[in-house]
Amino acid sequence: MKFKSITGTKDILPPESSKWHLVEEKLRSIFEAYNYSEIRTPLFEETALFARGIGQNTDIVGKEMYTFQDKGGDSLTLRPEMTASVIRSFIQHNIGNDSPLSKFYYIGPVFRQERPQAGRFRQFHQFGIEALGSQHPSIDAEIISVAVDVYNAFEVLDYELKINSIGCPVCRTSYKEILKSELMKVIDRLTAESQKRVELNPLRVLDSKDERDREATQNAPLLLNYLCQECSDHFEKVKNFLDELEVKYTVDGRIVRGLDYYTKTAFEVITKSLGSQDALAGGGRYDLLTEELGGKPTFGIGFASGMERLMLMLEKSENKIFSEPTKSVFIVSVDDFSRPKSLKFANMLRRDGISADMDFNSRSVKAQFREANRKNARIVIVVSKDDYDRGELTLKNMTTGEQAIVKITALTEEINKI
Ligand code: AMP
């Protein structure tokens, strides 16, 4: 019997995995520059956490969660996103008591039983940040600017930032009634999916991608025009901060996000380069969530981005982050005498922080050079008895083809010069 990975999941194999490392490293350095610290939460949680934190009427909770009963009879779920877990952890460890503002970032796998297609997986990876403890519009602007900084830092420029305000319970409740009654007038022209949403989650009808829904709702009232004074002022200030930061955006009254706990600022980063899976990142404010999950009322805002989609964008642009050569060394042994010496040199270089590898199959010198090329080694060291007896080695720069005899005692130094 041959086993295969589960539909919608994939192996990340070398050399792809090295690219993931490079990208993750860069993400970490961006988040840390903004003073966000990493949080790692478990891959599974109580089902109720997500049902409550994400909302019963969302696609995620309604149909996409991997939920199972463990042997003790508890209902558990593989995390379909990270925010609920971060908040659960924040509450559990009383983190809010330590500092008025807590800033976290995460990178890790999440699970959703969606229909797999290009750019859409069942196990995929999200990176993102959350800031807990401030209601000031400046933090909204910071979060949004980190989201776009990520794409700018990777020179992914074919994206668009869309922002909106989805108000608060005060303005949203009355608006929902207005929207519902307008949607009822065109209900026959909506798709079956949207018809179902009119009652339970009418805002979602507005962000349907289906042409029929778009057409039927083109004159629908937008929440943006029904905001209460506080939400409206907040949105104006967020825009002013973004202008100050020279972050380009368009205001799109149809960005609603799928999740119930969002308040005020909502935003998406989208691209035209990935076909129908056009969302790169999404985020927003969730001032009601911490209380909803049993904590003290705490303001919060964050975003989540898809790692696979960022990788697809980087592949398309042949990003130079991947072409910067690494200083890897391959050691070629000319004779049996040299093999143990090669191993010793490899270990010596590794301890000096240089990546080194060698042949472990007693192959010919030619085959060893082929292997060095296959492994993209930048430098080859050739070890032979004659050279060794003189305290020397041959060093070949594989980029330029130049070759030189160097002293064994100066090996690391010579390599570092290349
Ligand atoms: P969401 O939590 O749905 O707002 O998703 C945040 C980001 O995760 C999206 O903007 C996408 O980049 C990515 N994403 C969402 N669902 C998937 C999926 N099934 N496969 C791959 N990436 C996804």
Side-chain angles (χ1 to χ4, degrees):
M1 183 180 179
K2 270 196 186 157
F3 293 109
K4 276 181 158 178
S5 57
I6 306 293
T7 309
T9 70
K10 67 176 185 145
D11 300 312
I12 302 169
L13 305 172
E16 176 80 2
S17 49
S18 308
K19 294 184 178 179
W20 278 63
H21 272 224
L22 289 170
V23 172
E24 285 167 0
E25 216 172 285
K26 192 154 179 151
L27 288 172
R28 285 173 200 282
S29 73
I30 295 171
F31 298 148
E32 277 160 23
Y34 281 89
N35 204 23
Y36 287 73
S37 307
E38 189 179 18
I39 182 165
R40 298 189 193 193
T41 61
L43 294 191
F44 56 94
E45 302 267 0
E46 277 178 63
T47 302
L49 172 71
F50 301 119
R52 195 151 188 162
I54 299 174
Q56 290 289 358
N57 300 326
T58 56
D59 286 350
I60 296 182
V61 175
K63 46 188 184 192
E64 295 168 0
M65 295 206 300
Y66 280 99
T67 296
F68 60 97
Q69 215 175 38
D70 77 354
K71 295 210 169 70
D74 292 323
S75 179
L76 305 177
T77 293
L78 299 184
R79 63 186 187 195
E81 52 104 62
M82 305 278 238
T83 306
S85 304
V86 172
I87 306 297
R88 193 264 312 134
S89 176
F90 174 83
I91 299 169
Q92 182 176 341
H93 303 288
N94 296 313
I95 295 171
N97 294 348
D98 303 339
S99 152
L101 183 66
S102 309
K103 293 171 151 193
F104 300 110
Y105 78 85
Y106 56 76
I107 305 177
V110 294
F111 309 85
R112 291 184 197 172
Q113 194 156 2
E114 291 194 81
R115 199 164 42 79
Q117 54 176 268
R120 190 156 82 187
F121 305 94
R122 289 182 166 177
Q123 172 171 340
F124 60 101
H125 297 74
Q126 282 190 339
F127 58 88
I129 61 176
E130 315 285 357
L132 294 161
S134 169
Q135 65 171 326
H136 199 269
S138 54
I139 195 78
D140 302 46
E142 174 168 290
I143 296 274
I144 294 172
S145 68
V146 178
V148 295
D149 256 15
V150 164
Y151 298 97
N152 294 340
F154 285 106
E155 292 171 33
V156 169
L157 300 177
D158 41 349
Y159 71 79
E160 204 185 328
L161 167 67
K162 293 183 167 186
I163 63 168
N164 190 21
S165 174
I166 54 167
C168 64
V170 176
C171 42
R172 196 157 56 204
T173 313
S174 50
Y175 162 77
K176 261 190 192 172
E177 290 313 311
I178 298 168
L179 177 64
K180 257 192 230 174
S181 71
E182 287 303 311
L183 291 176
M184 285 312 287
K185 293 181 191 159
V186 294
I187 194 147
D188 297 339
R189 288 160 56 201
L190 297 175
T191 56
E193 191 69 11
S194 286
Q195 286 180 359
K196 274 188 257 161
R197 287 191 174 134
V198 171
E199 204 37 56
L200 291 172
N201 201 350
L203 265 76
R204 283 296 315 277
V205 178
L206 296 181
D207 82 344
S208 163
K209 301 269 180 298
D210 194 291
E211 263 316 306
R212 271 175 302 164
D213 292 329
R214 294 250 147 184
E215 165 80 37
T217 62
Q218 59 180 321
N219 297 319
L222 297 177
L223 180 47
L224 210 46
N225 301 321
Y226 293 82
L227 294 178
C228 60
Q229 197 58 47
E230 191 199 320
C231 290
S232 169
D233 288 349
H234 184 92
F235 192 50
E236 282 311 305
K237 286 182 188 143
V238 172
K239 288 191 286 183
N240 291 341
F241 274 108
L242 290 176
D243 293 339
E244 191 67 37
L245 292 170
E246 296 179 24
V247 171
K248 299 223 168 5
Y249 57 84
T250 50
V251 175
D252 183 341
R254 285 176 182 263
I255 303 281
V256 299
R257 313 278 301 133
L259 316 178
D260 283 350
Y261 54 67
Y262 279 87
T263 50
K264 294 182 175 154
T265 310
F267 66 96
E268 279 179 5
V269 181
I270 57 154
T271 179
K272 292 202 168 68
S273 308
L274 291 184
S276 64
Q277 299 310 305
D278 64 352
L280 292 177
R285 189 167 264 290
Y286 45 81
D287 290 342
L288 305 172
L289 180 61
T290 308
E291 196 178 3
E292 177 73 22
L293 295 178
K296 282 187 236 145
T298 307
F299 301 107
I301 178 162
F303 78 81
S305 294
M307 186 77 180
E308 282 77 3
R309 293 190 193 170
L310 171 60
M311 297 304 289
L312 281 171
M313 297 294 285
L314 295 182
E315 256 152 49
K316 272 185 200 298
S317 61
E318 287 175 20
N319 199 276
K320 70 172 185 293
I321 178 175
F322 299 141
S323 50
E324 277 162 19
T326 49
K327 204 169 245 179
S328 61
V329 172
F330 193 88
I331 306 180
V332 169
S333 314
V334 170
D335 42 44
D336 284 340
F337 168 87
S338 312
R339 279 177 224 287
K341 309 294 177 219
S342 297
L343 194 53
K344 191 173 73 177
F345 293 139
N347 281 353
M348 195 179 91
L349 293 176
R350 291 162 180 164
R351 282 181 202 124
D352 285 342
I354 296 167
S355 164
D357 205 355
M358 58 178 279
D359 168 56
F360 291 95
N361 288 310
S362 292
R363 280 181 292 184
S364 68
V365 169
K366 202 168 156 194
Q368 291 180 61
F369 265 97
R370 264 204 308 270
E371 180 71 2
N373 273 325
R374 213 173 57 80
K375 294 209 151 114
N376 278 329
R378 219 173 124 201
I379 297 154
V380 166
I381 295 169
V382 184
V383 187
S384 69
K385 182 166 187 330
D386 291 350
D387 280 355
Y388 186 85
D389 287 345
R390 285 195 301 274
E392 292 172 342
L393 295 164
T394 302
L395 201 79
K396 182 167 182 184
N397 179 336
M398 298 296 275
T399 319
T400 61
E402 278 168 41
Q403 203 163 299
I405 305 279
V406 300
K407 287 268 168 250
I408 292 175
T409 45
L411 183 58
T412 300
E413 202 184 314
E414 292 294 334
I415 289 172
N416 281 333
K417 281 190 201 156
I418 294 176

